[in-house]
Amino acid sequence: MPELLHAEPGTAASHRPRAAAALAAVPADATASQVWAALGAAGVLRDLYDRGASRPAAPDPGRLSELLGAVDARGDNGITLSVLVQAASALPLLAACAPEAGPVRAAFDETLSGTATVALAATDDAAAGSDLTGLGTEVTIGPDELVLTGGKRWITTAWEADRLLVLARHRPGRHFTSFTWVLVPATAPGVRIRPAGTDLLTGSATGHVEFDAVRLPVDHLVGRPGRGMAAFARHMGTERLAGALWAVALTRRVLADTKQRLTRRHIDGQPLWHNDAVRQRYATCLVQVRQLRALCDSLGEQVVDRHDLAAAALLKSAAGLVAEPVLATCAQLQGADGFARDGAQHIRSEAAVLGIGGGVTELVLGTVADNADALLAELSPCRP
């Protein structure tokens, strides 16, 4: 339902300063919900999806890049992760399934306006994160009532969210049509949320969730039963594009900081930046990030408009393969300074999520290999 996302006409050029301007007055210690509220109040989130009634329920790639760059500039990787998952996964799913009225439509409207937040709860207690068809969270669908039982782990925004968008099994088996989405108010009886025990990405409000016979009206189903996994697969690529765009913003920020440090540090009276070995290692990182940005620019619309899963897999794999070595090099070039609180070593640890969240890099590379013939054909200079 792309028409649900249509707002007053806007342009990418008018959007570009809006995300940064919307966040300029937000305190440095603001929570993920407060950052989301500021973006919504300024119209940034609605502009992100203002692509016209004929376009898919997915964000504009250029505006998504601008948004993630502005949020990343604040330096809290957890908050950036929270914004990313809501903007690139939860909102497209709600938009695609929201009727004209009811709780799902209300959730979509309030999340888009920034007055509420939603957590995407797919990863399950019962299965490895990449094995969604093995999840054990179950929903019983009755004529007038839903009953949800199970648990979700490592859910971004969980303990700040107003609602949870939960992927659940409605019938036995691993078949693609055995799953559906359920919209769950975070305060519903039987919902228990606890913070995840980690010192990384703390701003993301990541938590573990339990559902103990949670009873909800049947209008809390999101889309038709059996279409949950298909809807997720259709919009998974948008989150993978967002992850690659964030990897560009994050590595650029750390590279810029590293260059400043290298120009200030001196060895034998010369800035470390003038050392040829240092410059070559730094330049290699710069080339890798520039290549990732070019890949995002060339595949962005292909992913969000045509739902090209092979292109999305390329982006997801590239983000993991670029972020780790670039941030590792920056951390080493910064020397002891990299071990400061929130320094390059800490950022490197948090950025590992780019190679895990949304699919482990090694597994996603399998998808790339599966599409080798088509991807090779795209590289041919004789493409039709």
Side-chain angles (χ1 to χ4, degrees):
M1 288 188 173
E3 67 274 9
L4 295 179
L5 294 165
H6 190 55
E8 292 301 315
T11 65
S14 67
H15 169 85
R16 288 192 176 104
R18 292 186 68 177
L23 298 176
V26 178
D29 61 352
T31 65
S33 296
Q34 290 169 331
V35 168
W36 186 259
L39 293 168
V44 173
L45 301 175
R46 188 167 291 278
D47 278 358
L48 182 64
Y49 285 87
D50 180 19
R51 309 181 70 211
S54 63
R55 304 300 292 275
D60 176 86
R63 293 175 178 178
L64 183 61
S65 176
E66 295 287 343
L67 169 62
L68 293 172
V71 179
D72 175 79
R74 295 174 58 83
D76 190 317
N77 295 326
I79 287 179
T80 307
L81 178 61
S82 175
V83 169
L84 185 157
V85 174
Q86 291 186 84
S89 287
L91 273 175
L93 282 167
L94 287 173
C97 301
E100 295 302 317
V104 177
R105 176 58 188 257
F108 168 76
D109 288 339
E110 292 173 18
T111 303
L112 194 64
S113 70
T115 58
T117 53
V118 61
L120 186 78
T123 309
D124 206 294
D125 272 342
S130 298
D131 181 26
L132 290 179
T133 57
L135 62 81
T137 300
E138 298 182 350
V139 59
T140 301
I141 304 175
D144 303 305
E145 184 181 63
L146 310 174
V147 181
L148 184 69
T149 302
K152 299 290 182 178
R153 302 177 69 246
W154 300 106
I155 303 305
T156 302
T157 320
W159 51 271
E160 281 190 26
D162 298 285
R163 300 176 178 92
L164 300 111
L165 188 55
V166 180
L167 185 63
R169 176 190 301 280
H170 70 274
R171 65 184 183 190
R174 299 175 65 90
H175 195 272
F176 208 65
T177 59
S178 297
F179 307 92
T180 192
W181 291 98
V182 182
L183 185 67
V184 183
T187 56
V191 177
R192 291 192 293 272
I193 304 173
R194 69 183 191 279
T198 178
D199 294 325
L200 300 176
L201 299 166
T202 54
S204 66
T206 295
H208 307 314
V209 189
E210 297 177 12
F211 306 104
D212 183 8
V214 178
R215 297 180 179 276
L216 299 165
V218 75
D219 61 2
H220 281 62
L221 282 176
V222 180
R224 298 198 309 272
R227 297 291 298 167
M229 200 67 76
F232 191 40
R234 185 173 178 81
H235 295 286
M236 184 188 306
T238 303
E239 182 179 323
R240 290 178 168 178
L241 168 64
L245 291 170
W246 179 28
V248 171
L250 175 60
T251 51
R252 180 202 172 281
R253 170 164 58 90
V254 177
L255 279 166
D257 177 59
T258 300
K259 184 175 184 296
Q260 289 182 357
R261 293 175 185 274
L262 292 172
T263 58
R264 293 196 300 263
R265 293 178 60 192
H266 288 70
I267 294 180
D268 294 331
Q270 292 290 323
L272 192 55
W273 173 247
H274 290 169
N275 181 285
D276 284 342
V278 168
R279 290 166 63 84
Q280 288 179 14
R281 294 188 66 192
Y282 186 94
T284 299
C285 293
L286 199 56
V287 169
Q288 291 174 312
V289 174
R290 190 63 184 85
Q291 288 172 333
L292 178 59
R293 177 55 190 264
L295 198 62
C296 292
D297 290 344
S298 66
L299 297 180
E301 291 194 359
Q302 191 170 327
V303 169
V304 300
D305 290 345
R306 302 207 297 272
H307 305 288
D308 188 326
L309 296 183
L314 273 177
L315 288 169
K316 176 67 177 67
S317 302
L321 293 172
V322 167
E324 167 54 28
V326 168
L327 295 174
T329 297
C330 287
Q332 186 174 19
L333 290 176
Q334 290 188 22
D337 289 349
F339 291 94
R341 185 184 300 275
D342 297 327
Q345 296 287 359
H346 182 80
I347 293 172
R348 177 190 177 190
S349 296
E350 292 190 323
V353 71
L354 291 166
I356 297 174
V360 177
T361 299
E362 290 77 7
L363 292 178
V364 179
L365 282 169
T367 302
V368 176
D370 290 341
N371 290 274
D373 291 341
L375 294 172
L376 286 170
E378 290 180 358
L379 294 173
S380 170
C382 300
R383 285 182 61 194

